[in-house]
Amino acid sequence: TVDENADLFVHAQAVVWLSRGLAKEGAGRYEEALAIFLDAEQKLPKWKEGKEVLYYFQGREAFYLRKLGLAEEKFKLAIETRPDYVSAYLGLGNVYLERAQLRLQLEQPAGDVAACEVVDPLTEVIRQAQANERISATLSDTITDTTTAIDFYRQAVSSTATFEWKPSIDMANYALANGLRTRGDINISLQNLPAAEEDAKAAAAI
């Protein structure tokens, strides 16, 4: 029928766009890959079936580029389109775990700069900038981000029951265990040893 032929044409175009983007990704050209995937969304407005794959790749390229807000948005669109999309849940978990890791980096002491006895004006400016950045970078915020990541990893694990790509269960379990171990390490920093022990046991049981 005419409708079936139109759907096949759109699907063929989608495959071409995805192939172009993945070729750029394979070459490590993530900015170009992201641009192609975003352009595909505009050029193929009639693409409906399987479009969660495009949203996922948009999110993945954004994550590679550390554009975490865009990555989160696109992974969520993938899940709205297909609620059992394991890879998108893993992507969301990775976004929040990356945010947690960035907060931890901001929590690190300034090192040799902080230890200097004589501080020149430029060093003082750098030190003040670091202090300002750390205002919002608290360990409790890091715990919140890590817990959100763990929640998404758990959703990934539960979604593997209906997701057709069977190796996804191993990926989801690995991500969940890693998230639990990361939160356990942060709880040790907070001297919350009971919570750290609980996370360690949960990770070991996976």
Side-chain angles (χ1 to χ4, degrees):
T1 67
V2 174
D3 288 341
E4 288 176 340
N5 288 336
D7 288 342
L8 286 173
F9 178 70
V10 170
H11 179 74
Q13 286 184 307
V15 170
V16 171
W17 280 95
L18 291 176
S19 298
R20 289 175 183 169
L22 289 173
K24 296 296 185 184
E25 180 190 286
R29 296 158 70 173
Y30 303 123
E31 285 279 7
E32 294 177 50
L34 177 59
I36 289 171
F37 291 137
L38 291 174
D39 199 21
E41 185 177 1
Q42 301 300 316
K43 296 292 177 58
L44 300 175
K46 294 183 179 180
W47 182 12
K48 302 298 181 184
E49 185 178 357
K51 199 167 185 176
E52 69 274 5
V53 175
L54 175 63
Y55 294 136
Y56 169 73
F57 284 131
Q58 289 173 340
R60 190 167 76 173
E61 302 310 319
F63 178 78
Y64 288 157
L65 294 165
R66 294 304 181 262
K67 298 180 179 182
L68 300 184
L70 179 61
E72 180 179 3
E73 174 191 338
K74 295 303 183 179
F75 287 139
K76 285 182 175 178
L77 276 174
I79 291 169
E80 287 177 14
T81 307
R82 181 173 179 178
D84 69 342
Y85 200 173
V86 173
S87 299
Y89 284 117
L90 292 175
L92 275 173
N94 291 340
V95 165
Y96 277 89
L97 198 63
E98 179 68 13
R99 284 177 177 155
Q101 298 291 351
L102 290 173
R103 290 185 190 279
L104 284 176
Q105 289 175 20
L106 289 173
E107 282 291 330
Q108 298 303 313
D112 292 339
V113 173
C116 291
E117 294 182 2
V118 178
V119 180
D120 60 81
L122 177 59
T123 301
E124 182 59 34
V125 169
I126 294 173
R127 180 185 291 178
Q128 187 60 48
Q130 290 174 333
N132 290 338
E133 286 181 321
R134 289 177 55 200
I135 290 174
S136 62
T138 63
L139 284 174
S140 59
D141 289 335
T142 306
I143 284 286
T144 299
D145 285 338
T146 308
T147 298
T148 302
I150 290 169
D151 289 341
F152 282 126
Y153 291 147
R154 285 190 169 125
Q155 287 180 281
V157 170
S158 64
S159 296
T160 58
T162 56
F163 198 65
E164 63 272 9
W165 194 54
K166 296 309 176 186
S168 63
I169 182 62
D170 295 327
M171 296 174 61
N173 280 327
Y174 176 84
L176 177 56
N178 182 57
L180 288 165
R181 284 191 292 267
T182 299
R183 189 173 65 181
D185 291 341
I186 300 169
N187 275 317
I188 290 175
S189 299
L190 289 168
Q191 297 185 347
N192 188 350
L193 299 185
E197 182 179 3
E198 183 178 342
D199 282 337
K201 287 181 179 178
I206 295 173

